Amino acid sequence: MTKRVLVAGASRGIGRAVSVALAARGFEVIVNYLNNHAAAQATLATIQAAGGSARLLPFDVSDRAQARAQITADMEQHGTYWGVVCNAGIAADAAFPLLTGENWDRVIHTNLDSFYNVLHPVVMPMINARRGGRIVTMSSVSGLMGNRGQTNYSAAKAGIIGATRSLAQELAKRKITVNCVAPGLIETDMTTGLPDQAEILRHIPMRRFGQPAEVASLVEYLFSEGAAYLTGQVISVNGGII
């Protein structure tokens, strides 16, 4: 029986790498994205070129009603998901005194509220399917240790950790694991424009940024049978920064 996996925020970077890795393991991947259709199509094309199965599902993870409507309609047409990767996220950095209310709300709604918006429509169907499953959320080292200029981002990512651990306890007896991956500085669009990269690298013991594929390989493991007894954990991929 086909195992379907929804990857939220799958058009670029870590989300694309995760989608490609899971498709290579035989999962049917539902590629979620907001509005960058060209990038999402590139993810889809990469998967299909390698012989994998995937389709696109655009919706805004910060819009509760839209997310529920799109997810529910997709499951009614194609079947319940076996797994979900909550990867969608944005950053809007500023020192706290300069942080606008709008940028606080944008980051919280996209990064933290999306935990509820994406997972709430999915969890009961997963339970009722009685097939077990996998849920992986994406936090950050910023959610573990904080980071100057990222009070909003750190708050959202720390919230994801608490929510993940709580949901893991609720779903463990249903054989649905819920784990959190906390990447460090990964080479994506989000880190491309960072100033003082030489100074940043000095604080990373491995002296380099990570690659999206290195995060995806961990998610791939968490979706494997070998990870069936691993739940409620936060695993950081960060080159030794913490």
Side-chain angles (χ1 to χ4, degrees):
M1 186 179 293
T2 301
K3 290 182 177 180
R4 301 173 188 85
V5 176
L6 171 65
V7 181
S11 62
R12 297 174 294 171
I14 292 172
R16 176 181 291 178
V18 167
S19 297
V20 170
L22 293 179
R25 287 189 66 90
F27 294 103
E28 179 183 343
V29 177
I30 297 90
V31 176
N32 163 255
Y33 65 102
L34 177 57
N35 51 28
N36 193 336
H37 182 75
Q41 191 64 46
T43 300
L44 181 65
T46 300
I47 290 171
Q48 292 176 337
S53 175
R55 65 178 182 277
L56 304 182
L57 187 65
F59 64 84
D60 183 353
V61 298
S62 70
D63 185 325
R64 186 164 299 158
Q66 183 185 130
R68 180 174 294 276
Q70 290 291 86
I71 290 170
T72 301
D74 187 68
M75 289 192 297
E76 287 175 351
Q77 182 176 356
H78 298 283
T80 301
Y81 306 144
W82 185 79
V84 182
V85 180
C86 294
N87 174 71
I90 61 169
D93 298 348
F96 189 72
L98 302 177
L99 182 63
T100 66
E102 178 187 2
N103 281 341
W104 175 272
D105 291 342
R106 284 179 60 232
V107 169
I108 296 297
H109 291 332
T110 301
N111 295 6
L112 181 56
D113 290 354
S114 61
F115 179 98
Y116 180 92
N117 298 346
V118 171
L119 292 179
H120 197 262
V122 171
V123 165
M124 276 310 302
M126 288 178 70
I127 291 172
N128 291 335
R130 299 178 183 276
R131 297 174 62 199
R134 301 284 189 271
I135 294 171
V136 172
T137 63
M138 286 288 172
S139 181
S140 166
V141 292
S142 294
L144 292 169
M145 59 185 285
N147 192 28
R148 293 181 63 182
Q150 288 195 317
T151 305
N152 52 353
Y153 188 78
S154 297
K157 292 300 187 178
I160 287 170
I161 290 172
T164 298
R165 285 176 165 154
S166 295
L167 186 59
Q169 293 186 31
E170 293 186 22
L171 298 183
K173 65 182 179 182
R174 309 290 187 173
K175 298 182 181 179
I176 300 171
T177 67
V178 189
N179 291 291
C180 183
V181 175
L185 288 153
I186 308 298
E187 198 170 288
T188 65
D189 291 349
M190 194 176 287
T191 58
T192 298
L194 287 176
D196 301 323
Q197 292 201 12
E199 177 64 18
I200 293 171
L201 291 172
R202 193 173 65 82
H203 294 283
I204 301 173
M206 285 193 174
R207 296 296 191 269
R208 68 173 178 87
F209 286 0
Q211 295 300 311
E214 293 173 313
V215 180
S217 66
L218 174 57
V219 178
E220 185 180 353
Y221 168 69
L222 292 173
F223 270 73
S224 72
E225 288 302 316
Y229 196 57
L230 199 163
T231 196
Q233 303 305 305
V234 181
I235 307 172
S236 190
V237 183
N238 60 48
I241 198 169
I242 57 171

